[in-house]
Amino acid sequence: MDLTRSTLGISDDRWIGVGRSVEPDPVRAATLAVGQAIGGRDDLVLMIAFCSPAYDLAELAPAVKALAPDATVIGCTTSGEITQVGPSDATLVVTAFGGTGFTIEPFVVHDIGGDMREAGREAAQQVALFHERRHRHGVAWRPTRRR
């Protein structure tokens, strides 16, 4: 069995980009950070935004999503952002993932602040369901043991 990148459907066209903005205006910050992260590419799949709680999230979240309407966008506030130039405060940092063959399947784990064991169990169940769906469609890859 040939297990090369091409036979597994893995592309060399996958990419990751990071952008950051110290702009206090949420719409301008989104425009700058997302623009840097995407870098003009048109095959964005996932964008993760990390931002200071100083931003107005009611303005920032829709501004980020509007710049990536076809991508999955997730985010959270932080008590400090890690950027390309080191740790920072009062910034927006966006990490973008994309390229041929890059896929994701996001899910939500509810009430993670409550019963941590139950939240972990729920996350594990979601991962198991994901793997079950992938195997059912014949696109999962399992490494073979070397003898």
Side-chain angles (χ1 to χ4, degrees):
M1 180 191 230
D2 181 19
L3 294 179
T4 64
R5 291 175 65 81
S6 61
T7 61
L8 292 173
I10 299 173
S11 168
D12 289 329
D13 298 330
R14 295 179 185 172
W15 55 268
I16 182 171
V18 178
R20 102 184 236 282
S21 177
V22 296
E23 178 68 41
D25 177 76
V27 175
R28 284 194 34 82
T31 302
L32 292 169
V34 170
Q36 290 170 15
I38 295 173
R41 299 176 190 99
D42 63 358
D43 54 356
L44 176 65
V45 176
L46 169 66
M47 194 160 42
I48 306 173
F50 303 93
C51 72
S52 163
Y55 282 107
D56 180 346
L57 297 180
E59 286 186 59
L60 182 65
V64 169
K65 182 59 181 170
L67 295 164
D70 297 327
T72 297
V73 178
I74 58 176
C76 66
T77 56
T78 66
S79 60
E81 300 77 48
I82 301 171
T83 73
Q84 307 95 309
V85 296
S88 188
D89 283 324
T91 60
L92 169 63
V93 177
V94 174
T95 304
F97 301 85
T100 306
F102 183 85
T103 61
I104 61 161
E105 188 158 334
F107 60 87
V108 175
V109 175
H110 299 279
D111 194 24
I112 198 163
D115 183 346
M116 297 297 279
R117 284 184 189 263
E118 183 56 35
R121 193 172 2 268
E122 185 178 342
Q125 288 172 342
Q126 291 295 326
V127 170
L129 288 173
F130 167 76
H131 285 292
E132 179 182 313
R133 282 189 299 271
R134 299 281 292 190
H135 287 288
R136 188 177 328 126
H137 297 292
V139 294
W141 171 72
R142 282 184 248 156
T144 57
R145 289 185 186 166
R146 294 185 177 213
R147 297 172 196 230

